[in-house]
Amino acid sequence: MTTFRADKATYWQTHKVMGVIAMALAFGVLWIAGNPYPWTGLVGGAAAIGLRGWYLKDEELAHEWQMENGVLSGPGERRVFLSDLVTVKSIGSAVQLITTAGDKHLIKFQADPAATITQINAARRLSGEQT
């Protein structure tokens, strides 16, 4: 069995990037709107993403996906058969799984998304050879 767990350092790095984006957007909106204190957007953007990160940390870092016997099992009783996968690709620090039915799932906050994709694709090839 292979387990894919969320990485704590990657979780916080992702939130730093989201924080910078939120700060820039909030500053820009306030500046364009003519607010005399656009710098408050910097504070607000950082605070919003920081609070989000702190609030969701325990839940997000507890998520894990397990791959065994041709099935990926994830949080919320998600089950994806490797034979049903059409696409496995990275989106930032996440790995997106797309099935033949069009269902989409994310394995979030992977320290090395390329390695996760390689492991899943290797298992797909192996399970395809066994059928």
Side-chain angles (χ1 to χ4, degrees), residues 46-76:
I49 298 301
L51 182 62
R52 177 197 187 279
W54 171 79
Y55 185 75
L56 295 175
K57 177 179 63 88
D58 293 336
E59 180 182 342
E60 290 290 342
L61 292 177
H63 290 174
E64 67 178 36
W65 285 78
Q66 296 177 342
M67 183 170 60
E68 183 176 33
N69 299 326
V71 179
L72 274 161
S73 302

Side-chain angles (χ1 to χ4, degrees), residues 74-113:
E77 300 183 20
R78 290 177 180 93
R79 290 177 50 85
V80 178
F81 291 93
L82 296 178
S83 59
D84 286 343
L85 289 175
V86 174
T87 305
V88 180
K89 64 180 181 177
S90 65
I91 299 177
S93 65
V95 173
Q96 184 181 43
L97 310 171
I98 304 175
T99 68
T100 53
D103 298 330
K104 296 178 182 177
H105 305 277
L106 287 177
I107 303 175
K108 296 190 241 176
F109 309 113
Q110 296 296 289
D112 187 355

Side-chain angles (χ1 to χ4, degrees), residues 16-38:
K16 287 177 190 174
V17 170
M18 287 191 308
V20 169
I21 293 168
M23 291 167 64
L25 287 174
F27 179 89
V29 167
L30 291 175
W31 182 68
I32 289 170
N35 187 305
Y37 307 105

